[in-house]
Amino acid sequence: MSDTNLTATDPARFGRFEIRLAQRQLLIDGAPVALGSRAFDVLAVLVERRDRLVSKSELIELVWPGLVVEENNLQVQVSMLRKLLGAQVIATIPGRGYRFTAAATAQDSPPAPPAAPARAALPAAPAAGPPQLLVADDNKVNRLLLCRALELMGHRVAGVEDGAQALALLRRERFELLLLDLEMPGLDGFAVLEQLAADADLRDLPVIVTSSVEGVASVARCIALGADDYLSKPVNPVLLKARVTSSLEKKRLRDQQKALIERLAAGAAPVDAGPPATGAARVQASVLQARLHGLAALAQAAPPEDTLEALDSWHTLMFDAVLAHGGVVNLVGGDTLVALFGAPLALPDPADAARAAVRAALEMAEMVELFNAERAARSRPPVALGIGIASGELVAGYTGAPRRTAYTCAGATLERAAQIAVLTADRAHPIVVDAPTHAALAGRLVTEALPAGLAPGGLHAVRAG
């Protein structure tokens, strides 16, 4: 095995392919390859630990932290990687796990890619580094043990001994999660939850209640007051890690969704600006239209709150996939989401926009698969995803009144993406792309040409996984 190290700032090459962790890119023969984020994470874990075998349980824990994932999800990602890299690159050790077997070759670091165009400012984010958590518990021993357990997980932790101290600290500093005891002198856990719910700045803070109070009534009251989860004392360390990881991930997705929605609602012009410059231009871009098929049937059969929960979760997952691959959400309405790649943030090569759109689509499909597994565990019916992608010329720019503008687009490419998305309603081909998008993939993914009678115009289905 080579001594070449792979770090976030030092790409490494293995024969025909190269891995760039910082850019989250896999290149084959120097060209970027469309790869879902989970598949990339599996590859990164195996490469970083290529000096040893990696067990299946370790891979699942690192790639899907805090989630209950079936082993076949891991097998799907490994199978995808083997199709791209060759069966011999990832060896299976029966009953034990996987090992990355390709030898690394030293290389000069490639020149840094050109800086991406500046994005619109997002709401204030926490400082870089581990998430900061707050523990509120009047029992000093319990508090210290819980803080120590969280620190060993890699978090920054502060501890207080009562509810009043917790609220005061939360209003002074930014925390990502509160672990709250119920039985405390003065302001107890229930009172803290009530005050958090009434505070516009704190009501979205995730809260995990940790308590020795037994009974369904206490748990139900905590959830009704806004708590995200409930752990009985003594706290099981495995459950603690899973619930904390899950709560932090949900908060991250909510924050991203909120920021994106605010961008869409506010537009690019300041409130007191004069008539906005349209910035009208003909651009080469890719349009992704995602459809949540079967929403009408779900709304008719399921309770209203279940329908809205499914819709909200679907929007959150789709927003995250678009943002992760450099896209901009252009339209959200009911069961439809439209995203642009290559506009208004232009890319040097239009083919890069098409490949980014396909990578986002693959991640969307992966997220919906895991979302459906979670819904099945709660005896909820699955949701179905359909995605149409078209690439080509758009007329784009800003429209609206002086106090409210939005970036919008029009043209045959937009209409073609919508028409392709409709074709996915039969659920046989969840991701379908037009001929220009397929040409940009250059054979880097497994695709299937759709019959001309079914879909004229050189459409191809992309195999997700």
Side-chain angles (χ1 to χ4, degrees), residues 152-395:
L152 289 174
M153 295 178 198
H155 305 299
R156 293 177 295 154
V157 188
V160 294
E161 62 184 19
D162 61 46
Q165 291 180 13
L167 288 170
L169 194 55
L170 288 170
R171 286 164 178 151
R172 289 200 310 269
E173 299 182 29
R174 179 173 182 130
F175 290 87
E176 302 301 307
L177 176 66
L178 169 64
L179 291 100
L180 178 67
D181 183 31
L182 284 184
E183 296 181 302
M184 295 184 293
L187 212 61
D188 65 10
F190 293 118
V192 171
L193 288 171
E194 290 172 351
Q195 292 207 27
L196 291 177
D199 191 320
D201 294 328
L202 296 176
R203 64 174 57 133
D204 291 331
L205 177 72
V207 180
I208 297 177
V209 172
T210 61
S211 178
S212 56
V213 177
E214 298 182 356
V216 175
S218 295
V219 178
R221 184 180 175 191
C222 289
I223 301 301
L225 288 172
D228 290 70
D229 219 324
Y230 190 103
L231 289 172
S232 297
K233 292 183 178 178
V235 176
N236 181 291
V238 176
L239 284 178
L240 175 66
K241 183 176 182 180
R243 302 291 173 80
V244 167
T245 301
S246 177
S247 293
L248 290 173
E249 177 66 8
K250 289 177 181 176
K251 182 179 187 300
R252 183 184 71 82
L253 293 175
R254 284 199 300 266
D255 287 348
Q256 287 185 351
Q257 183 188 37
K258 181 179 178 182
L260 285 166
I261 290 173
E262 287 175 352
R263 283 170 56 188
L264 288 172
V271 170
D272 295 324
T278 66
R282 296 185 185 275
V283 298
Q284 293 293 321
S286 292
V287 180
L288 180 155
Q289 180 161 137
R291 298 285 301 274
L292 182 62
H293 295 307
L295 181 62
L298 179 65
Q300 185 173 6
E305 57 272 15
D306 183 58
T307 302
L308 291 181
E309 178 195 1
L311 193 58
D312 180 65
S313 298
W314 182 76
H315 283 154
T316 298
L317 296 174
M318 300 305 98
F319 266 90
D320 187 67
V322 170
L323 182 67
H325 294 280
V328 175
V329 176
N330 182 249
L331 174 68
V332 179
D335 61 358
T336 302
L337 179 146
V338 178
L340 304 179
F341 295 81
L345 307 176
L347 295 174
D349 183 356
D352 290 339
R355 290 190 283 266
V358 174
R359 287 196 297 271
L362 290 169
E363 183 162 332
M364 288 176 173
E366 184 180 311
M367 286 183 170
V368 167
E369 181 182 350
L370 293 175
F371 178 54
N372 279 334
E374 187 269 340
R375 285 181 62 80
R378 297 188 292 129
S379 300
R380 299 287 194 273
V383 299
L385 173 69
I387 298 172
I389 301 176
S391 301
E393 185 178 87
L394 290 169
V395 172

Side-chain angles (χ1 to χ4, degrees), residues 28-199:
I28 297 181
D29 295 328
V33 177
L35 189 65
S37 68
R38 298 292 188 190
F40 186 90
D41 290 341
V42 170
L43 179 60
V45 169
L46 291 173
V47 171
E48 289 175 326
R49 293 159 178 77
R50 62 188 184 278
D51 59 336
R52 64 177 175 86
L53 177 143
V54 184
S55 69
K56 295 177 181 178
S57 58
E58 182 181 1
L59 261 172
I60 290 173
E61 174 64 24
L62 291 169
V63 176
W64 291 274
L67 297 176
V68 178
V69 177
E70 296 293 334
E71 188 177 309
N72 65 341
N73 282 299
L74 174 60
Q75 293 169 348
V76 166
Q77 306 305 330
V78 171
S79 175
M80 181 191 305
L81 291 170
R82 283 174 171 158
K83 289 175 184 176
L84 288 171
L85 308 177
Q88 74 283 356
V89 171
I90 300 175
T92 299
I93 313 301
R96 298 179 61 196
Y98 299 96
R99 184 164 186 169
F100 186 84
T101 60
T105 55
Q107 62 168 337
D108 295 330
S109 295
R119 291 181 179 272
L122 298 180
Q132 183 161 319
L133 280 53
L134 179 62
V135 173
D137 194 319
D138 65 311
N139 186 302
K140 185 175 181 180
V141 173
N142 288 343
R143 186 171 68 252
L144 291 177
L145 288 175
L146 189 53
C147 287
R148 179 59 179 160
L150 294 168
E151 287 171 349
L152 289 174
M153 295 178 198
H155 305 299
R156 293 177 295 154
V157 188
V160 294
E161 62 184 19
D162 61 46
Q165 291 180 13
L167 288 170
L169 194 55
L170 288 170
R171 286 164 178 151
R172 289 200 310 269
E173 299 182 29
R174 179 173 182 130
F175 290 87
E176 302 301 307
L177 176 66
L178 169 64
L179 291 100
L180 178 67
D181 183 31
L182 284 184
E183 296 181 302
M184 295 184 293
L187 212 61
D188 65 10
F190 293 118
V192 171
L193 288 171
E194 290 172 351
Q195 292 207 27
L196 291 177
D199 191 320

